[in-house]
Amino acid sequence: MPFTGIHSFWTYRCIISLDIIFINKGVITKIYHNANPCNDVNTCIDYKGYGDFVLELNSGFCKTKGIKQGHVAFFDKSVARRADARSLPALFSSLS
């Protein structure tokens, strides 16, 4: 993201439901679970959060993996470059 602050996302014309994770300096600040697709711009939900990164994952991923607000996310650039969901658990730590 170009700056740290409050950012907003929506799911207009998404094809799947998402978990939306806002991250600031490696710490998860907000998670929206099961953000459903929206096809009408007048009724779309505005998902807001604070941070310098956002990560969108398949709906249910956070609950399945126990990812919660306050957990630490480490970004390994070699892992993050591969858009491969199997490598995503390597991006998180402190999952207790």
Side-chain angles (χ1 to χ4, degrees):
M1 298 187 157
F3 64 91
T4 299
I6 296 174
H7 296 277
S8 181
F9 288 80
W10 63 347
T11 57
Y12 181 62
R13 293 191 176 170
C14 267
I15 58 171
I16 62 169
S17 297
L18 300 170
D19 286 352
I20 302 172
I21 304 173
F22 290 87
I23 302 167
N24 187 52
K25 296 182 178 157
V27 178
I28 297 172
T29 59
K30 180 76 177 170
I31 299 175
Y32 289 98
H33 299 276
N34 195 34
N36 290 314
C38 173
N39 292 317
D40 180 356
V41 295
N42 297 313
T43 62
C44 286
I45 297 172
D46 195 20
Y47 299 100
K48 293 183 180 180
Y50 184 86
D52 51 6
F53 285 96
V54 69
L55 184 60
E56 297 174 332
L57 302 167
N58 289 349
S59 179
F61 186 89
C62 291
K63 287 186 179 179
T64 299
K65 299 298 182 183
I67 298 168
K68 298 179 182 174
Q69 187 171 326
H71 284 172
V72 175
F74 291 98
F75 292 95
D76 179 328
K77 291 180 184 177
S78 65
V79 173
R81 282 191 190 113
R82 295 178 291 168
D84 183 346
R86 291 171 291 170
S87 63
L88 287 173
L91 297 175
F92 297 95
S93 69
S94 304
L95 298 178
S96 57

